[in-house]
Amino acid sequence: FSFRKLWAFTGPGFLMSIAYLDPGNIESDLQSGAVAGFKLLWVLLLATVIGLLLQRLAARLGVVTGLHLAEVCNRQYQKFPRIILWLMVELAIIGSDMQEVIGSAIAINLLSVGKIPLWGGVLITIADTFVFLFLDKYGLRKLEAFFGLLITIMALTFGYEYITVKPNQEKLLQGLFIPYCRDCGTPQLEQAVGIVGAVIMPHNMYLHSALVKSRQVNRADKREVREANKYFFIESCIALFVSFIINIFVVTVFAEAFFNKTNADVNEVCANSSSPHSSLFPNNNQTLEVDIYKGGVVLGCYFGPAALYIWAIGILAAGQSSTMTGTYSGQFVMEGFLNLRWSRFARVLLTRSIAVTPTLFVAIFQDVEHLTGMNDFLNVLMSLQLPFALIPVLTFTSLPSVMRDFANGLFWKVAGGLLILLICAINMYFVVAYVMSLNHLGLYVGAAVLSIIYLSFVAYLV
């Protein structure tokens, strides 16, 4: 083992781990803490471990073949399924882009004390893309360092909230290592499913398999390939451990401070602290429901204005860091599936326009409630796209014709198949629960028809 070699391979895993810290994840974390307290921490741990194992497969594919997942799909699938797969992954990337836009807009609104409206925040996030494209010209290592800085900002800001709130460490350890949820009902179960959907991102498999190609590896030398696989896996472990700790900070802060709180409790505290946002919480005995925006407000009411602004800085860092992962994913996916070599500028302009337009309309004509409500829908959308990354990555890493001596053994094939079956079942439950909550017959029928088409295509991939 050599720390110098590990440093040389460090970068792709941290860029990949940003998808575990995007605004959709942060929202899932805070809702988990507010709805179930410390009881679902073990689900977060399990989802992160599963994510690590799947990222390992994606990285191995890139290292062994010298091709990323989209390029292998292009070679292995017929034209029609290939185009469907591309469209599904593009949907996931646009959904991720929308979450980044929403998170950044809310953070800018909180930091400006409401002076910059939500639609103004959405427009500002268009500019950040061009900043990152400018940074990209200075080389990948500098870009990796910049994202390392953003992850550090998230660790410091959410760590500050953790130290301020002082969660119960005994409950934290129990929630982390005892896989049980006492007195849990449907809301807690749906939240557990939501955690899995938010943590494991489909386009991240395509991204990671491409990022590892940035390091020179002699693929004719088995020892060198094995060594690259080892160091990329160690780096992924470190990167996902850091992202897991940051997620823990958010869950436990809201578990300690706001679990079982009612709107009336928060309304009273906000009124006493002269918060301008106390009207967000009606004076009733309903259980408090929080999102990224309300989360910052209640932290400000309970722990002072500093907690609110530091929270907003963390959300802004989360939003900005996930911008470039979406940009890179889109670039690799388009090149791999379609052999289209657009400039990164044109590619970003297209997807950012698609992501910003609906978000901008909601921000102009609706309030922050509807904007944060879009995050729930986008998490469902992400969940639906997962099989279109997981099934190909397990299939191709199991084929000796693709991976040669590095093909998955029987254990990985069986374990990987069971993991994917579990994730798909969890996500289908999540989608059914979401559709049922809409209470509309036409939507039920539409969802049933789409489900048949969707499951047929998943069966074809299997």
Side-chain angles (χ1 to χ4, degrees), residues 74 93 138 302 374 430:
N74 190 352
I93 292 167
Y138 288 93
Y302 276 77
M374 280 178 76
F430 189 29

Side-chain angles (χ1 to χ4, degrees), residues 17-34:
S17 74
I18 283 165
Y20 290 72
L21 293 167
D22 72 346
N25 261 300
I26 302 299
E27 179 141 343
S28 171
D29 290 340
L30 64 91
Q31 287 176 348
S32 164

